[in-house]
Amino acid sequence: MRLRFSSPIILILLLLTGCGSYDFKVNERVVFTPKPLFTDFEIADTALNDCIKQAIVDNKITSAAQLSVLNCSHAGISSLAGIETFTGLSQLKLSSNQFADLSHLVPLSSLEDLYLDNNEIIIPTPLYDLMSLQLVDLSGNSSLHCPTSSALLRVEEVRLPRHCG
């Protein structure tokens, strides 16, 4: 048995998949409206705010939990306040910025890979509560209070500054 598709059905399917960010109308009646991009967050640090906004646009994020990967390296970030909104983050790259306070990362219980190299981190203890961490990079934080050998025991790969050797 052969299946036959009529041209209008194929055309409608192509239009729906290619126009994911537009209302789709048939006979002036809206039959599909995409969800709006997520905007319900406040980030005081302009650099972090801009980075998150760009990730939301690039990945068509419609809820905070949908954002799973964020790369804000070399962005000039001095505060992480507000990042706790994005509880779905599993990979976070914040290399080469200027922040020290890690307390805003504690609610991010899904974090698996965390790149914090070359910042101004001194106290790493908020990381001890992140049970899903598999990789954490703290290298290049010259004033870091080195964690004890048992503090990040469950983490598969830990990169520390030279003075923690």
Side-chain angles (χ1 to χ4, degrees), residues 7-27:
S7 296
I9 292 173
I10 292 173
L11 179 62
I12 289 171
L13 289 173
L14 287 172
L15 286 172
L16 283 174
T17 58
C19 301
S21 60
Y22 300 100
D23 287 347
F24 183 70
K25 295 179 181 183
V26 174
N27 294 333

Side-chain angles (χ1 to χ4, degrees), residues 102-159:
L102 299 178
S103 63
H104 300 285
L105 298 178
V106 173
L108 305 181
S109 59
S110 297
L111 272 179
E112 295 175 3
D113 297 340
L114 182 57
Y115 298 85
L116 301 170
D117 50 303
N118 301 309
N119 280 286
E120 297 174 7
I121 300 165
I122 298 170
I123 309 293
T125 54
L127 302 180
Y128 304 169
D129 294 329
L130 298 174
M131 297 301 166
S132 296
L133 270 184
Q134 296 174 7
L135 179 149
V136 63
D137 187 348
L138 289 163
S139 62
N141 288 285
S142 59
S143 298
L144 183 76
H145 291 171
C146 303
T148 64
S149 58
S150 63
L152 294 168
L153 189 60
R154 74 196 169 286
V155 181
E156 292 176 23
E157 185 176 348
V158 179
R159 299 175 191 158

